Amino acid sequence: MNILILGSGGREHAIAWKIKQSNSVNKLFLAPGNAGTKEVAENLSISPSNFDDVAKTIKAHKIGMLIVGPEAPLVDGIVDFLKQQKDLKDLLIIGPSEAGAMLEGSKEFAKKFMAEFGVPTARYQSFQKDTLEQGYAFLEELKPPYVLKADGLAAGKGVLILNELQDAKVELKNMLLDQKFGEASSNVVIEEFLDGIEMSVFVLTDGKNYRILPEAKDYKRVGEGDTGLNTGGMGAVSPVPFADKTLMNKIEEKVVKPSIRGLEARQIDYCGFLFIGLMIVNGEPYVIEYNVRMGDPETEVVMPRIKSDLFEHLKACSEGNLENEKVVFSDEAATTVMLVSGGYPEAYEKNKEMSGFEQVGDCILFHAGTKKENGKVLTNGGRVIAITALGENFKDALAKSYRNADRILFEGKYFRKDIGFDLMSN
Ligand code: AMP
Ligand code: GLY
């Protein structure tokens, strides 16, 4: 079967790398892809947000399965659009409908969904322009720190955590009255701060059945010791050492099952990945957020730990047969270290020539912000390349990731030297 993956990050490169290993995959395409995906697939220069172009490409290249990597086209309804095309009736699509994508597209929708189906989450209320005063009053009821979330998609920037009540009030006003995050913050969810340890769980679901994939932990802050600005993710590890059988069972019973039951009860058309961001507080899981796609850079450690055939799992999922699939994981530890452009997540320069590829060994490179021009690999984004390694344990895997992080060179290169630092006793 021919496959098209939409997106251009490390996540999409990792999915491409994994799916390419299936004997059932014929031609693999990425749109738009990056310099790394060019090595395993054919890059097509179309934008995932241009649905007409995507439909034309699917027909032109006789695509049998479409995998949607990022959230934006899902929230904008690409799945519903393609399902309405009469000549694409046989297309298998991995990605939820617009209704399902609301779990990520609207924080308030997600909170109401969790409340209805008994999924544990932080206490919250939501506010608009005309209820700003009530928002101030709710903040006064809460203890610091204060968590403010723009309801809509804000390119990963819509969450503010503030220590001072006065600052929280000012930011609430900025979000509601001054559109700090544009339309996304015309509705703001204020929620209780959860003090615990974060981890991510990934589920493949057809909206009724589900399979839990390897769990992961990502490192979102730019600075060592989890300091500085939030980024898209500076590194990740899988498995998560503290996620023992007892905790994983609790997560399945208290979070995964009721979430899938909710999709079914609401008759939401959902075939794809559900990424559940969790805070573990005193051994109990609470949902921080749902994402309707895989995580990045978590995918770069999740995919290498899946031993079974991802294509077969996805095919079964899109045919509603997931209950017959057995997902097999490797016991190895996987780590990934993200090399980023100097300055990221604030302003940074692109088009820096990358070198050192021929020195690299014993790791898997997943390209993110890279492009190929005149035979040269150039940086093309903030997060440039993820260096994944597998090992018997974290120490072993991290040593390989870091050895190779030193070998890839480009001007302004930066990476965190302490990925997994908090888990090292394991
Ligand atoms: P999000 O953009 O929803 O992933 O949120 C960004 C980060 O904010 C999360 O990864 C958490 O570290 C933090 N966060 C979000 N909600 C809460 C909460 N209720 N309590 C504590 N931390 C939170
Ligand atoms: N690494 C977090 C995310 O993909 O949203």
Side-chain angles (χ1 to χ4, degrees):
M1 186 182 285
N2 292 348
I3 316 262
L4 172 62
I5 302 174
L6 297 184
S8 61
R11 166 182 51 211
E12 288 77 19
H13 189 184
I15 294 173
W17 170 88
K18 176 64 190 163
I19 212 158
K20 184 82 185 187
Q21 294 167 14
S22 171
N23 290 330
S24 312
V25 172
N26 185 17
K27 281 196 187 147
L28 180 60
F29 299 91
L30 271 97
N34 57 40
T37 63
K38 228 182 159 92
E39 305 295 319
V40 282
E42 184 178 336
N43 285 349
L44 302 169
S45 61
I46 58 161
S47 161
S49 59
N50 188 330
F51 297 174
D52 282 317
D53 273 2
V54 173
K56 274 187 212 142
T57 302
I58 289 168
K59 289 172 213 165
H61 293 280
K62 300 192 167 49
I63 301 296
M65 179 188 284
L66 174 76
I67 303 170
V68 185
E71 65 278 13
L74 294 168
V75 171
D76 291 342
I78 192 167
V79 174
D80 308 69
F81 174 87
L82 293 172
K83 285 196 171 164
Q84 282 156 15
Q85 309 291 310
K86 284 198 186 61
D87 41 1
L88 292 180
K89 282 273 174 282
D90 295 331
L91 178 69
L92 304 179
I93 307 179
I94 305 302
S97 61
E98 190 172 350
M102 287 282 280
L103 285 176
E104 180 166 359
S106 165
K107 303 266 188 209
E108 187 175 9
F109 176 91
K111 295 297 269 190
K112 284 191 173 146
F113 180 92
M114 290 185 244
E116 184 175 342
F117 298 102
V119 179
T121 188
R123 190 163 72 94
Y124 84 104
Q125 280 187 30
S126 55
F127 301 93
Q128 301 78 36
K129 223 172 30 210
D130 51 345
T131 51
L132 178 63
E133 290 298 326
Q134 286 97 311
Y136 291 158
F138 185 60
L139 284 171
E140 283 166 13
E141 270 177 44
L142 297 174
K143 285 193 290 255
Y146 304 93
V147 183
L148 271 50
K149 299 185 172 184
D151 181 64
L153 289 187
K157 296 202 171 78
V159 176
L160 299 178
I161 299 186
L162 303 141
N163 288 319
E164 302 298 329
L165 179 62
Q166 198 44 39
D167 295 343
K169 287 184 175 176
V170 169
E171 290 296 354
L172 179 64
K173 177 178 158 295
N174 289 344
M175 286 166 95
L176 289 176
L177 299 189
D178 306 329
Q179 302 228 316
K180 177 164 180 145
F181 300 109
E183 197 40 44
S185 66
S186 58
N187 189 14
V188 173
V189 167
I190 301 180
E191 66 180 34
E192 215 168 36
F193 181 81
L194 296 170
D195 193 5
I197 178 155
E198 277 185 81
M199 64 174 284
S200 305
V201 165
F202 302 93
V203 178
L204 178 65
T205 180
D206 55 17
K208 211 163 63 190
N209 306 290
Y210 65 88
R211 286 290 174 267
I212 298 179
L213 305 178
E215 77 284 358
K217 185 175 192 311
D218 85 339
Y219 292 79
K220 286 206 176 91
R221 303 294 200 91
V222 73
E224 276 146 30
D226 286 339
T227 54
L229 294 173
N230 245 332
T231 70
M234 299 294 292
V237 300
S238 175
V240 176
F242 60 82
D244 56 13
K245 263 215 160 67
T246 312
L247 178 58
M248 288 308 288
N249 283 342
K250 247 185 219 174
I251 292 171
E252 180 163 11
E253 293 303 319
K254 296 188 174 181
V255 174
V256 177
K257 282 188 181 168
S259 299
I260 305 299
R261 204 180 331 114
L263 293 175
E264 204 179 351
R266 290 218 187 156
Q267 296 183 309
I268 291 175
D269 185 7
Y270 202 114
C271 167
F273 299 104
L274 180 64
F275 157 1
I276 310 177
L278 295 168
M279 188 72 85
I280 311 300
V281 185
N282 299 324
E284 289 297 319
Y286 290 83
V287 175
I288 294 182
E289 59 168 356
Y290 288 118
N291 294 301
V292 298
R293 50 167 174 92
M294 286 298 290
D296 196 348
E298 293 93 327
T299 310
E300 290 92 305
V301 289
V302 170
M303 289 300 150
R305 289 197 58 229
I306 299 179
K307 292 211 291 198
S308 43
D309 188 326
L310 180 68
F311 170 78
E312 296 300 338
H313 300 326
L314 297 181
K315 183 163 175 285
C317 183
S318 55
E319 292 169 346
N321 290 326
L322 200 52
E323 78 269 24
N324 299 322
E325 288 300 294
K326 190 163 164 33
V327 182
V328 184
F329 310 169
S330 145
D331 292 335
E332 285 174 299
T335 58
T336 199
V337 172
M338 190 63 86
L339 306 187
V340 306
S341 300
Y344 172 81
E346 297 185 287
Y348 57 84
E349 290 179 15
K350 295 188 196 176
N351 296 311
K352 304 294 181 193
E353 187 175 348
M354 297 175 69
S355 62
F357 292 102
E358 63 291 342
Q359 313 292 332
V360 161
D362 221 6
C363 71
I364 316 163
L365 299 181
F366 292 124
H367 288 234
T370 68
K371 63 179 176 186
K372 199 154 189 177
E373 261 178 30
N374 304 323
K376 292 180 180 162
V377 180
L378 305 177
T379 66
N380 191 35
R383 290 192 295 169
V384 174
I385 197 164
I387 304 187
T388 294
L390 288 162
E392 262 178 54
N393 52 41
F394 284 126
K395 255 196 190 122
D396 184 22
L398 280 167
K400 292 179 195 169
S401 285
Y402 280 120
R403 201 179 310 137
N404 288 293
D406 286 331
R407 291 170 175 157
I408 299 282
L409 304 173
F410 59 90
E411 192 189 315
K413 176 180 84 170
Y414 169 77
F415 58 97
R416 265 181 71 167
K417 314 265 184 320
D418 68 341
I419 299 304
F421 75 102
D422 52 335
L423 310 171
M424 268 320 230
S425 58
N426 294 275

